[in-house]
Amino acid sequence: MSHIELPPPVAPDWHRWRSGLFGGWGNSLITLATLGVFVWFLQPFLRWAIFDAVWTGTATDCAVDGVGACWAFIGAKLRFILFAFFPPVLQWRPALVVITVLALLVLSALPRFWSFRLVPLWIAALVLSWLLMAGTLTPPVVSTNNWGGLPITLVVLIAGLAFAFPIALLLALARQSSMGIVRTLAITFIETLRGVPMIAVLYVAMLIVPLALPSGAAIDKLLRAQIGVTLFFSAYLAEVIRAGLQVVPWGQREAALSLGLGYVQTIRLVVLPQALRAVIPAIVNLSIGIVLNTSLLAVIGIYDLLNAARTSATDPTWLGFYTEAYVFAAAVYFIICFAGSRYSIWLEKRLNAASRH
């Protein structure tokens, strides 16, 4: 009678926390010292952010009533921080775009809804969002020069990832190709874009591309920036995917080919599921980098969330409240990045459990 070997029992989470934080004199001292430093920094921050803060009123109230944070400034300038120079009476448009994008993100995050139907759904959502913001669907027309805030950050992030992924996949496969010309072109593209800063790519999109266009032709500034961001991150994403492709043993490809599967079927059914599962943390890390790098759009005059927050403190009525503006913007960025990080951990565990079963 054969014996079934069961995996060793896993200790509860609180046991691992206790052994990690207080497992010995050294760990205990380091933990207590870290807590002491944390409390030392946390105490003045809580006084500034909560206890001595001004929550309602005007800029005069903030100047008179205390030395804490002036959250009344955030309440007064919240719509500008979120939507920048978009006309106030039409700000329901970017608000609807943000709600739609967040709803689709939640829908796409649930494995039960994973199917190819999401691809046309996302394409339609991005196109309709652009048309809605521009006023093509519902006049009046709003120039992209007035777009900004959170919708720009989310749209640049989603569109950048969505269009960079197929380009990166083709580049990763081309870099492993046996055809020398294809491999050389892929390597040249990847290494060139990885060797220059993103600001240089944005300046090329803003200054060089218009000069290269025929006379009378023009491409919208935001669209040029989006193309530059997509191409830039496709080079980094291609290297991430290539690392995942190298994890899959070559023998599995040979076995699939011997069973009669073609190259495309082998890549789609055998190689990519394993490769992408192996690089989920790296893809999420790159996505977080895209979120943070959207702030570089400010150098070409596009008002993303961070730039809108900074500009809000230049209002003569609320002049100088830069700290509150940056703290609020940092909180929004943190929520987006932390949610993405936790989702990555959950998805990785779920996929690993499914593969074991």
Side-chain angles (χ1 to χ4, degrees):
M1 184 176 179
S2 60
H3 296 281
I4 299 176
E5 294 186 2
L6 298 176
V10 180
D13 289 339
W14 69 273
H15 280 178
R16 295 199 297 269
W17 277 87
R18 186 182 63 182
S19 62
L21 296 176
F22 300 99
W25 286 104
N27 283 0
S28 300
L29 290 175
I30 294 174
T31 300
L32 293 176
T34 303
L35 287 175
V37 172
F38 180 74
V39 171
W40 185 65
F41 278 107
L42 185 63
Q43 204 172 18
F45 176 78
L46 289 178
R47 284 200 305 268
W48 174 81
I50 298 177
F51 302 116
D52 295 336
V54 178
W55 297 91
T56 58
T58 64
T60 303
D61 298 327
C62 293
V64 173
D65 292 346
V67 294
C70 181
W71 300 124
F73 160 76
I74 299 297
K77 305 298 293 184
L78 180 62
R79 294 178 65 177
F80 183 87
I81 295 174
L82 294 180
F83 306 123
F85 294 102
F86 211 89
V89 296
L90 299 175
Q91 286 180 355
W92 61 269
R93 295 182 188 176
L96 183 59
V97 169
V98 170
I99 293 172
T100 302
V101 169
L102 292 179
L104 280 177
L105 280 175
V106 174
L107 185 69
S108 303
L110 300 176
R112 71 177 70 177
F113 296 112
W114 287 356
S115 69
F116 284 103
R117 296 188 186 93
L118 286 174
V119 176
L121 184 61
W122 268 109
I123 294 176
L126 291 175
V127 172
L128 290 175
S129 297
W130 182 281
L131 297 178
L132 178 64
M133 294 271 288
T136 306
L137 298 177
T138 56
V141 175
V142 179
S143 171
T144 54
N145 293 328
N146 295 327
W147 297 13
L150 186 58
I152 289 296
T153 298
L154 292 179
V155 169
V156 170
L157 166 65
I158 301 301
L161 278 176
F163 294 114
F165 187 84
I167 299 173
L169 180 59
L170 293 176
L171 288 171
L173 294 174
R175 186 156 187 173
Q176 292 188 332
S177 174
S178 58
M179 294 182 287
I181 296 178
V182 174
R183 186 173 62 252
T184 301
L185 290 175
I187 293 174
T188 302
F189 179 87
I190 293 172
E191 297 303 330
T192 299
L193 285 178
R194 293 180 68 214
V196 298
M198 183 176 168
I199 292 180
V201 176
L202 293 176
Y203 273 123
V204 168
M206 290 299 105
L207 303 177
I208 307 300
V209 171
L211 297 177
L213 294 175
S215 178
I219 301 177
D220 185 82
K221 177 176 67 173
L222 181 59
L223 184 58
R224 296 200 305 268
Q226 182 67 74
I227 294 173
V229 170
T230 300
L231 295 178
F232 182 80
F233 283 104
S234 67
Y236 284 86
L237 187 57
E239 288 297 280
V240 172
I241 295 176
R242 186 172 70 92
L245 295 175
Q246 292 177 337
V247 171
V248 182
W250 193 261
Q252 293 193 17
R253 302 190 187 192
E254 296 176 343
L257 294 174
S258 67
L259 292 174
L261 297 179
Y263 175 78
V264 176
Q265 290 178 311
T266 300
I267 295 297
R268 183 171 66 89
L269 300 176
V270 178
V271 178
L272 277 184
Q274 301 178 75
L276 295 179
R277 184 186 299 119
V279 294
I280 285 176
I283 292 176
V284 173
N285 184 59
L286 182 62
S287 303
I288 292 174
I290 297 178
V291 175
L292 301 179
N293 282 326
T294 54
S295 60
L296 295 177
L297 295 174
V299 301
I300 56 174
I302 295 177
Y303 284 82
D304 69 307
L305 178 66
L306 183 63
N307 198 26
R310 181 188 62 81
T311 306
S312 66
T314 61
D315 185 345
T317 306
W318 296 92
L319 189 63
F321 294 100
Y322 291 100
T323 303
E324 289 82 353
Y326 286 133
V327 168
F328 178 80
V332 175
Y333 280 112
F334 175 79
I335 291 172
I336 296 174
C337 296
F338 183 75
S341 175
R342 299 307 302 177
Y343 173 73
S344 167
I345 296 173
W346 173 82
L347 181 61
E348 188 177 12
K349 290 180 178 179
R350 191 182 189 282
L351 293 178
N352 290 336
S355 63
R356 286 196 297 268
H357 291 303

